[in-house]
Each structure stands twice: as C-alpha cells, then as structure tokens.
Amino acid sequence: MPKKAREMSQVEQAKTCIYCGLSRPFSDEHVFPAGLGADDRRFLLKDMVCGVCNSGVFSKLETKFMRASPVAIARLYFQPTGRGKGKKASIPSINTNSTIVFLEPHGVVEAEMTAGGKLITLLQLLFLEDDKVALTGGDHVGIDVFLDALIAALENQIQVVEKIKDVVPSRFVVETFEWDGARYHSVSRETTPTLPPKRVWREPLASPPAAAATARAPTLYQRTDGQLCLRVPPSTQAGPMLTRARKAPSVFGKQEGVPYSDFANPSVHISMTIDMKDYARVLAKIGVNFVAHAYQEQYARHHAFNRIKTAILEGLSPIWLQTIPKQADAFTGVPRTRHVAMLHFTKSRAGRFHAGMVIRLYGGTTQYVHLSENALQPPDGPAILVIDYENHRIERFFDWGSFGAVYPPNVLPDFKTLDEFSLDG
Ligand SMILES: [Zn+2]
C-alpha cells in the first residue's frame, strides 16, 4: 500500500467507535461512570465512543446499575451526590418494586429510601376494611401539599397508568375513569407508548413479607417526586378506590392533624429486581474503557476485545464475573471511601494474555470481570484506578509500589484459578 493510502486508512480507522466499529459522531465517555461519583473531566474517552453506544446503550445500562443492582443501596448510603458537582449535583436514588415500613397503628405502609439511607414514610390514604380510609405518613411535605395534589388529581376524568414490565421501548396500560357525580366508572382502557400529561400511577400490591403482622391495605400515596400512585392488588378495580379517595379529603378536612406518630427503628422491607447480566455488562464496559484509557486506543481496538465488546453492546453472550475470596483480596488496605479497580493480566497461550479487571465499589465485595483470553502483552504495568467518590476525583497508578505508598494493599491477589479458565469450555 502506498504511504499516503496507508496514512489515510489509519485516519479512517481512528474515526470509528471502539465499541461498535461504526463511523458515527463521537461523544465524551466517562472512563468510570459519573453516577458512581467519578465525574472527573480528566478521565474521559474523547473521540473513541460514538453517541449511539454512549447514550443509546451505556446510559440506560448505567441507570439500571445505579438504581437497581447490588451496588444501588450502597450508593444511596455512602455517596453524597450522583452525577455532577456542586449545585448541579444530583441525589442518588434507587428503583424498588416496593419499600415499606411497619407503622403503628396501620401496619405496613408505603415508604421511600432516600440519600444517606434516610427513610421517609410517604403521605398516603390507606383503604381499610369496612370502607374506612385512613390518612397516614411522614412529614417531609405538609399534609396540605398531599391533599392539594389529591384534589388536583381527582378530577372528573382520571387516567390511571400502569407500566408494562420488561418491555423495551416502554409501553403503558392507560385506563380512563369518569366521575358521574357519585363514583368513578372505567370508560376506556388502551395500551400505548405515550404517557398522558396528568396521571395516577398504578402499582401492583404484592403479598406482605412473612414478618408483617397484618395484611397490607391498598393505598394511594405520593412519592417524593410528587407523583401519585395507587397500589392495589392486580385483580382489583381502580374505580372504587378512586371513588373512596375522592370522598376522603372532605372526611378529614385540611385542619385535622395527621394521625401519625414518630417511631424508632422501623422494620424496613425493600424489594428490588436485579438483572445480573446487565450488572456484568456495566462492569465489563468499565474494564474496556479502562483498557482504552490506560493502554491507549490502539491496544483496546485489538480484536482480542471484540467478543467482550459484543457482549456489552448486545447482552446476548455470557460475561464471566467472579467474586474474589477475602484472603486473596488485594484491596483490603484501601479505605471504603474509595472505589478501586485494577487491570490484571495472566499468560494464557501462544504469548497471549487473559485480560481482566478486579473491581471493588463502596468497600463491598471485590469482583473479577474477564475481558479477553487472547490479549496482546500489555504495554505497561498493572493499571490501578482509585476513585474518591465523595469528591469525584480519580487517581491512576501504574505499579503496586506507587499505589501501595498511598493505600498499602495487605495481600497481593492470587489469580491461579483464572489461569485454568477458558471460554472454549
Ligand atoms: Zn459505537
């Protein structure tokens, strides 16, 4: 190939996304997810990842990772801010199927876990036996705010929306109710991809945990984001509940105090759906990003990483994830206030290497995610990232000495078992 053409082809090659291999507009990709407290502008992949992979695939995976994964609750407890710094910082939150507390005298009621692990009992109407309705919940907003929201929602027409689970793109069942002067009637029910501007969410009421002393009452509650939700058993009609709710605020009146008393150490029950496959995809993506950042783009473009990139993008092939036993954990000397990740290589065959990343988030379990079994010899020593997630600062080291000088590891890792691992098996 003439020199000019060869240069041209290298330039062309450099224009493609390191993940999908396509030539599309790039967007800056954080080496380590910003939502994990790593919004450090010095650690970006520039002109390497296309906007489609970044926003279309990775952002969605990361949102699930932040809000519904083994690290979601640790993030909520330990990390003061999500993405961004200062005034623009977001507050971490989690996605639960339900969060409930046992509250006297009404039994199990709706709650929300917020930043710092703080528990808020949500303001709610409880639909009790014998047509009784109780008003209960915490005081993070005034009772007036809740009643005003109820009155604003309980108009002559209400749309009750239920999100259909596990459907991409999102679809909703929208049921419309009309008030006839005495009660709400269902007038239509349709499945649609769009949300009505005003809505009451519908959530299924599952069986209470075995520890709960009483059966759980259906409830109409207000989440901390202001949305009203009706939680009723899947087979129950929403109309009669809405009718009871419409009549309830006048029963209580705004003047009446909240039948609520503070309580110490409530028993909390959180139910969360976790997709471990997507969890592994995010860890593997951090690994490939880290490779591209520490060992340069060309090394990360090698076909040895094609299989893992496809697994990350498509979510169809398995990703090998292993928990590192405590006695082999190299990170025990690193404080819990730091995430730590290390690229690790062991010889595989024919001069090639197993490439993987050892990672620990929020001082939790240390895990190994496998990235390749035929990587080229790495151009540098073991790369280590230490992330101060409270302050969005990342530090990188290239040898145990410099790393150890800051956070001396107690034990070096023992990866013998990984040498025996082969994806061919
Ligand atoms: Zn791409």
Side-chain angles (χ1 to χ4, degrees):
M1 205 187 294
K3 188 161 177 280
K4 195 133 200 176
R6 196 170 59 235
E7 274 170 11
M8 189 72 106
S9 99
Q10 279 171 351
V11 170
E12 287 301 312
Q13 192 189 11
K15 277 184 185 168
T16 62
C17 168
I18 63 168
Y19 279 95
C20 64
L22 296 175
S23 189
R24 296 192 277 213
F26 291 115
S27 70
D28 289 351
E29 158 79 358
H30 284 81
V31 174
F32 215 91
L36 288 175
D39 195 5
D40 187 331
R41 304 292 299 172
R42 299 170 304 159
F43 286 80
L44 292 175
L45 297 183
K46 287 178 180 285
D47 298 342
M48 281 196 231
V49 180
C50 77
V52 176
C53 287
N54 194 334
S55 314
V57 184
F58 300 162
S59 298
K60 291 189 179 90
L61 280 176
E62 283 179 18
T63 300
K64 281 174 85 176
F65 187 87
M66 307 299 167
R67 297 190 181 155
S69 84
V71 303
I73 292 175
R75 176 172 177 265
L76 193 66
Y77 267 89
F78 298 134
Q79 190 178 302
T81 61
R83 207 187 163 111
K85 290 182 238 187
K87 280 194 180 141
K88 281 193 285 180
S90 60
I91 296 167
S93 61
I94 54 173
N95 287 352
T96 60
N97 298 330
S98 75
T99 303
I100 53 183
V101 294
F102 189 82
L103 179 67
E104 294 289 354
H106 298 301
V108 173
V109 301
E110 208 71 37
E112 223 174 88
M113 186 82 87
T114 61
K118 186 166 178 273
L119 191 70
I120 289 172
T121 311
L122 300 172
L123 281 160
Q124 56 205 283
L125 293 180
L126 287 173
F127 302 105
L128 305 172
E129 310 252 293
D130 305 325
D131 234 25
K132 286 196 196 105
V133 178
L135 175 63
T136 189
D139 55 356
H140 71 286
V141 290
I143 188 74
D144 282 8
V145 174
F146 175 58
L147 292 177
D148 285 346
L150 269 186
I151 290 161
L154 296 165
E155 295 180 307
N156 289 339
Q157 191 183 79
I158 304 178
Q159 295 193 293
V160 175
V161 180
E162 186 164 18
K163 189 171 191 291
I164 301 173
K165 287 238 180 295
D166 304 323
V167 178
V168 181
S170 298
R171 288 182 73 77
F172 308 93
V173 176
V174 178
E175 188 170 13
T176 303
F177 292 88
E178 281 178 6
W179 180 252
D180 71 357
R183 55 205 150 108
Y184 282 107
H185 296 271
S186 174
V187 293
S188 71
R189 192 178 147 89
E190 55 165 354
T191 301
T192 161
T194 49
L195 279 174
K198 283 191 73 176
R199 58 198 171 263
V200 170
W201 288 96
R202 181 181 173 135
E203 299 273 356
L205 176 61
S207 307
T214 57
R216 221 185 134 189
T219 174
L220 178 63
Y221 63 99
Q222 188 178 27
R223 298 197 305 233
T224 54
D225 65 6
Q227 295 280 333
L228 288 173
C229 298
L230 185 64
R231 191 181 287 280
V232 289
S235 56
T236 302
Q237 293 291 323
M241 298 294 167
L242 295 172
T243 301
R244 289 170 73 183
R246 178 148 170 165
K247 292 175 175 174
S250 62
V251 173
F252 288 98
K254 289 194 184 187
Q255 304 84 348
E256 196 159 322
V258 192
Y260 168 77
S261 56
D262 209 356
F263 51 96
N265 304 318
S267 149
V268 186
H269 177 85
I270 291 177
S271 147
M272 180 184 273
T273 305
I274 291 172
D275 185 333
M276 285 307 289
K277 187 183 75 221
D278 287 350
Y279 175 76
R281 289 167 75 189
V282 172
L283 291 185
K285 189 212 69 163
I286 295 171
V288 173
N289 280 0
F290 190 4
V291 166
H293 192 259
Y295 297 141
Q296 307 305 319
E297 192 175 334
Q298 224 41 48
Y299 186 79
R301 283 187 185 279
H302 190 262
H303 61 78
F305 295 101
N306 284 358
R307 201 201 73 89
I308 194 71
K309 287 173 188 169
T310 305
I312 294 164
L313 286 179
E314 296 174 359
L316 299 175
S317 39
I319 293 174
W320 198 61
L321 190 65
Q322 185 186 298
T323 297
I324 302 286
K326 267 270 174 277
Q327 64 271 20
D329 190 345
F331 300 151
T332 48
V334 182
R336 188 206 37 80
T337 54
R338 303 289 188 274
H339 301 312
V340 55
M342 177 183 73
L343 293 178
H344 186 269
F345 295 84
T346 49
K347 283 206 172 84
S348 57
R349 62 178 94 82
R352 296 297 180 89
F353 288 77
H354 284 295
M357 178 182 66
V358 190
I359 182 166
R360 194 195 72 186
L361 300 170
Y362 302 104
T365 310
T366 301
Q367 289 176 305
Y368 173 85
V369 58
H370 192 256
L371 303 175
S372 173
E373 59 175 342
N374 55 345
L376 298 173
Q377 176 145 17
D380 214 327
I384 299 148
L385 286 184
V386 178
I387 294 103
D388 174 358
Y389 57 81
E390 291 171 345
N391 299 300
H392 294 264
R393 276 191 65 85
I394 305 180
E395 289 174 275
R396 191 178 70 191
F397 306 93
F398 270 113
D399 62 78
W400 279 104
S402 61
F403 175 70
V406 184
Y407 310 111
N410 292 346
V411 199
L412 285 171
D414 173 14
F415 292 106
K416 275 203 282 288
T417 56
L418 300 181
D419 289 332
E420 292 149 22
F421 170 73
S422 169
L423 283 168
D424 301 338

